[in-house]
Amino acid sequence: MKIPIGSSLSLLWRYLLPNKRKMVLLFALLFVNIGLQLANPQILRHFIDTASSPAPGELIWIAAFFAGTAVLGNIASGFAAYVGEDVAWSATNALRADLVRHTLGLDMTFHKMHTAGEMIERIDSQFVVKVCGTFVLMFGVLVLMFFEDWRIGLTMTIYALLVLLVMRRAKGVAVPYFKDQRQATADLSAFWEERLSGLEDIRSSGAESHAMRMQAGLMRTVFSKSMRATFFGRFLFSAAIVLFAIGNSAAIASGAALLGLGAVTLGTVYLIFDYTGTLSSNLRMVTEQLDDLQRASAGIERVSELVHMRSAVQDPAVPVALAELHAAHLCFEDVSFAYDDNESAADNAPVLQSVSFELAPGKVLGLLGRTGSGKTTLTRLLFRFYDPVRGRVTLDGVDLRELRIGDLRKRVGLVTQEVQLFQASVRDNLTFFDASISDERILHVIAELGLTDWLGQLPKGLDSELESGAGGLSAGEGQLLAFARVFLADPGLVVLDEASSRLDPATEQRIERAVEKLLRGRTALIIAHHLTTVQRADDILILQDGRILEYGPRRELAARADSRFAYLLRTGLQEVLV
């Protein structure tokens, strides 16, 4: 989706508008600084012209005035940098907050197609102001040169245009070589990361020499690309030096010629030389800033595209409120689903086909099936990460599409095999940063799950910091913390991707006790991998290739010798895990 430039500028203005007073101050400081930069050479010209006649008192005043303007210029520049950073980070942080809120509300199709790095760009108002300031300063220099002598002004204008043209062309030639160099360096870094992470496999298979040969090839590529980039970089630098030398020579020659004709004073010759230097340095800056401005504009456009994206899963215009029932009633009614072409399923094949079942309040459903049978997709529909393409899913008799998404996810709890922890306190990890949950309630849940001793070993109790990704915790402790989260949320329906098969027997018993407490008085859907959990289920549903292969009460299916479930019980459910 291509967003018009006007829309991108509107997005930029939306986040800068709350800082409009600071933006006005920033531009004011900028123009004060530019004015002082243009005034200083004028003061020095007057000093030089005055120095030719004996007026020491006046020279002292001129020197003091020059020093004062220099100090004021630096103060204005410092304040402009401070205000610019303040505005830039205020706007950027507001944008980031809105982007995170927006992307969290987008459906899973979007998140599978986009990486996190695509979603954040910096709104740097100070950079935009610097670009404007550079052009204003260059324009001011050229105008003042025209006032001094139209021939000098015309010469410097032609010089400025020539430098801009040559520098832009030269950068266009050199930039691809720098991109190649960065890509070669990135490939080498990726190689190191991959080989270091697989160090045990490399050593055990005797592949050290192969890894070294691959590294040597990548390093040769880096060397070759770096040499080319360095050559063209030096060429670009040398071209700039030559152009600036030509400009300074032209300024000196023009000034000397006019001085010989008596058209200008010696101070004016200095003024021309000083302004030419200012013009040259800003020409170099503007060629770099234009590239950065193009990248910034592209970034703003990408952010604008993201903001205009809409989730395929939306809250209803008039949401239905769920009754306050502790144990939920779940129904899948002739549900079919297929991922988009860009998703994981090949050729947009149906993942679920005509799935219908009912889970009564307070009952437990054991969900079985091979990998790829549709178990995970079924739970994704339950949380409205996606919507069915046909049929409907109801909770307490209400179609999920008629519920506010936030209300739905408060009624459904999830415990998965992979526990995601944040780099935050134990309290925040358990409550998901919900300050309304009291410490007393948290401690009660921790005691119920047998985690009191574990908490007591932490240096700051609930305020102790945990590492992201469950670092520093055993698998059992991580699982029990995940159970604690669901206990605190107190949902009416629990989805449990049972993971105790990977734990030692003692920890497994603790997990089983936690499951028993969690399911008491709640409706549950368990993706079962283990016989103990299957025995807890009231009903069994077996999926195969997105269809229901077998569905019914657990006891009845177990008693039927010809049932698929009875066969799985005889084989210890091992086939389900394949």
Side-chain angles (χ1 to χ4, degrees), residues 45-176:
R45 175 180 64 172
H46 186 56
F47 183 91
I48 292 171
D49 290 341
T50 304
S52 59
S53 59
E58 186 177 356
L59 291 178
I60 293 173
W61 281 110
I62 294 173
F65 186 58
F66 175 81
T69 56
V71 171
L72 286 176
N74 281 293
I75 292 174
S77 177
F79 272 110
Y82 176 83
V83 175
E85 284 295 315
D86 186 17
V87 173
W89 282 110
S90 297
T92 300
N93 289 338
L95 172 64
R96 285 172 172 164
D98 287 348
L99 282 180
V100 170
R101 189 179 299 111
H102 179 67
T103 52
L104 285 175
L106 293 174
D107 57 272
M108 295 301 294
T109 302
F110 167 84
H111 289 284
K112 286 180 177 293
M113 294 172 58
H114 296 80
T115 63
E118 297 177 51
M119 302 181 193
I120 299 295
E121 292 289 342
R122 171 92 188 271
I123 294 182
D124 195 340
S125 59
Q126 185 183 8
F127 166 73
V128 176
V129 171
K130 283 180 179 178
V131 173
C132 296
T134 302
F135 277 107
V136 171
L137 180 59
M138 290 169 56
F139 180 75
V141 166
L142 292 174
V143 168
L144 290 176
M145 283 191 171
F146 269 104
F147 272 112
E148 294 297 332
D149 189 281
W150 68 269
R151 291 163 291 189
I152 296 293
L154 180 60
T155 300
M156 289 299 102
T157 301
I158 294 172
Y159 163 69
L161 294 175
L162 178 64
V163 169
L164 281 175
L165 178 62
V166 173
M167 292 290 288
R168 292 291 292 169
R169 290 287 179 87
K171 285 181 73 68
V173 172
V175 164

